[in-house]
Amino acid sequence: MIINGLGDITVDISYGGAFYAFVDAQTFGLDVNKSRTRDLVDAATAVTKAVKAQVKLNHPVSDDLAFLYGTILTDGKDEYSSEPTSNVCVFAEAQVDRSPTGSGVTARVALQFHKGLIALNQTRMFQSGATGSKFTGRAVEMVVLLF
Ligand SMILES: O=C(O)[C@H]1NCC[C@@H]1O
């Protein structure tokens, strides 16, 4: 996907109660734990705008939920590890979440499970690059939706 001013990059989109776009911050030369919040917000906002312009989202049961809520920049450490993986969620009107984001972690777990990077019931820890606060998450069941 072409992101204005940031080039041609790969974006994952996943749902965990809201839709989020996911990009490894290193793609933009950024570090979710160390970069300036302004730079992280600018990159995430550019991704959100590009996805909104280029991707039509569908939700199986509620059209009201068929929209991109934000972009989550990650440290790229999606393979299973007992160490936390960091992310920064920029949602709604370019707000930065203090937490790793409940719906965002849920979406990230679904994405990691979908990619075969974590197994069912394998708990991962997620850390906010903004504040250091931590959540854990795990996939408990695989459900196939036909729509
Ligand atoms: O953790 C959450 O899911 C909420 N916090 C910011 C984005 C969502 O509204």
Side-chain angles (χ1 to χ4, degrees), residues 14 16 35 62 68 86 91 98-99 117 119 132:
S14 182
S35 292
S62 175
L68 191 77
S86 295
F91 67 101
R98 287 176 294 185
S99 81
L117 299 173

Side-chain angles (χ1 to χ4, degrees), residues 26 30 36 49 57-58 62 66 95 104 125 137:
Q26 295 166 92
L30 297 172
R36 290 191 321 156
K49 279 187 183 159
L57 297 175
N58 294 300
S62 175
Q95 293 163 45
M125 193 177 293

Side-chain angles (χ1 to χ4, degrees), residues 30-97:
L30 297 172
D31 180 325
V32 288
N33 293 307
K34 295 186 184 148
S35 292
R36 290 191 321 156
T37 303
R38 178 77 264 158
D39 294 335
L40 294 168
V41 169
D42 287 349
T45 301
V47 173
T48 298
K49 279 187 183 159
V51 171
K52 282 184 172 175
Q54 297 176 50
V55 180
K56 170 153 174 42
L57 297 175
N58 294 300
H59 187 282
V61 295
S62 175
D63 287 344
D64 288 351
L65 293 171
F67 70 97
L68 191 77
Y69 194 35
T71 292
I72 297 181
L73 299 178
T74 78
D75 61 7
K77 295 178 180 167
D78 283 305
E79 288 198 17
Y80 178 73
S81 164
S82 56
E83 294 300 307
T85 171
S86 295
N87 57 231
V88 168
C89 175
V90 182
F91 67 101
E93 302 303 319
Q95 293 163 45
V96 178
D97 202 343

